[in-house]
Amino acid sequence: MIHGKTYQYILEGIEKKGALFFLLLDPDKTSADKIDDLITHIESADVDALLIGGSLILDSDFNDFVKTIKSKTKIPVVIFPGGVEQVSPYADAILFLSIISGRNPENLIGKHVIAAPLIKRINLEPISTAYILVESGKTTTAEFLSNSKPIPRHKPDLAAAHALAAEYLGMKLIYLEAGSGAELSVPEEMIYVVSKMCSVPIIVGGGIRSPEVARKKVEAGAKIIVVGNHFDNHENFSELEKFTSAVHYKLNRLSEV
Ligand code: 1GP
């Protein structure tokens, strides 16, 4: 099967490194004067891709932000859209997300109908992604804004059935999401059960704040780890390499963690 360039890069990266580390940048929380320092750390730490997006963007020009980041690095930039307005021709790809844990038709197909012609016109690579919200202690912004219920955290089989249905529908990635800044991250048992059921790569994000926790998610079966919140604080930039080392287990850098 012929895949888009970015999806192919993801599959090859997983094959080579075992699992990948994506850094999530929220345009509202990334101050302009810290971007150069951030990019230096990102490149030396071997971050695999940058996700750009947010459930709600209040203060920033999304397109400008993507353009600025793209002009400063060759690392793939993938849009992680919080809405149809978060589309930019400067990115390499967009996660074409369907919130399959919910039953809100707007998030299953409605917004996609509006975004699809625009994505085609600007020649952006869509990567069809099953987005599964997982209960994580408190109501998250994603849950509230999508007006949908998350999967209960003690129901791994339910998550696995959703993920398998998504795979049969042809989706290329499964994203198990606890929500940005979540109190509790996605349980390892759920990641394990979903990974045994599915053959497409599993992304895990939300509430991951240490390399050790990131490694546990990878050991459970995650192929891509997403961290955002922890790196909103620029004092943590120097920890980036510990995260990537923990995740890139095939590169034999685990002893450094
Ligand atoms: C949120 O999965 C991402 O959509 C990352 O979550 O910001 O908690 O790292 P954090």
Side-chain angles (χ1 to χ4, degrees), residues 76-95:
V77 168
V78 179
I79 297 173
F80 176 42
V84 287
E85 69 294 345
Q86 291 174 29
V87 172
S88 166
Y90 299 107
D92 296 285
I94 183 167
L95 296 183

Side-chain angles (χ1 to χ4, degrees), residues 47 74 82 103 105 113 169 208:
V47 167
K74 292 199 167 14
R103 298 295 181 269
V113 172
L169 284 167
I208 298 175

Side-chain angles (χ1 to χ4, degrees), residues 8-227:
Q8 191 62 35
Y9 164 86
I10 291 172
L11 295 182
E12 285 170 10
I14 291 170
E15 187 60 36
K16 185 175 152 205
K17 301 178 180 177
L20 304 181
F21 182 86
F22 288 7
L23 181 68
L24 172 63
L25 300 180
D26 180 330
D28 275 353
K29 295 181 187 159
T30 312
S31 64
D33 60 331
K34 298 285 183 306
I35 289 180
D36 287 337
D37 187 29
L38 178 61
I39 297 284
T40 306
H41 281 94
I42 286 168
E43 294 192 338
S44 72
D46 193 21
V47 167
D48 299 289
L50 298 174
L51 292 186
I52 299 184
S55 295
L56 199 58
I57 295 179
L58 300 173
D59 304 323
S60 317
D61 183 318
F62 185 79
N63 203 39
D64 260 10
F65 185 78
V66 175
K67 189 178 174 189
T68 303
I69 297 292
K70 200 53 206 166
S71 70
K72 291 177 185 285
T73 181
K74 292 199 167 14
I75 294 173
V77 168
V78 179
I79 297 173
F80 176 42
V84 287
E85 69 294 345
Q86 291 174 29
V87 172
S88 166
Y90 299 107
D92 296 285
I94 183 167
L95 296 183
F96 201 62
L97 300 172
S98 235
I99 308 185
I100 64 155
S101 48
R103 298 295 181 269
N104 180 343
E106 276 307 300
N107 297 319
L108 286 164
I109 184 67
K111 291 178 180 167
H112 311 69
V113 172
I114 295 166
L118 179 57
I119 290 171
K120 186 173 175 67
R121 183 154 54 80
I122 62 177
N123 203 20
L124 190 59
E125 177 187 339
I127 305 176
S128 146
T129 303
Y131 197 49
I132 301 180
L133 300 179
V134 178
E135 192 190 359
S136 60
K138 287 184 185 150
T139 306
T140 61
T141 309
E143 186 187 327
F144 182 81
L145 288 180
S146 66
N147 194 20
S148 64
K149 275 191 192 162
I151 303 254
R153 52 191 295 108
H154 59 284
K155 298 278 185 193
D157 292 346
L158 191 56
H162 279 75
L164 186 62
E167 182 173 334
Y168 287 170
L169 284 167
M171 295 186 178
K172 292 177 173 174
L173 295 170
I174 307 288
Y175 195 139
L176 295 176
E177 171 70 276
S180 196
E183 220 169 68
L184 306 167
S185 57
V186 177
E188 279 90 52
E189 194 200 347
M190 183 178 281
I191 300 168
Y192 179 77
V193 174
V194 172
S195 72
K196 290 291 153 213
M197 186 73 101
C198 294
S199 53
V200 297
I202 297 169
I203 308 178
V204 175
I208 298 175
R209 298 178 187 86
S210 74
E212 292 76 17
V213 170
R215 169 108 64 95
K216 279 190 185 153
K217 308 300 176 199
V218 170
E219 284 168 355
K223 296 294 181 203
I224 299 172
I225 297 295
V226 178
V227 178

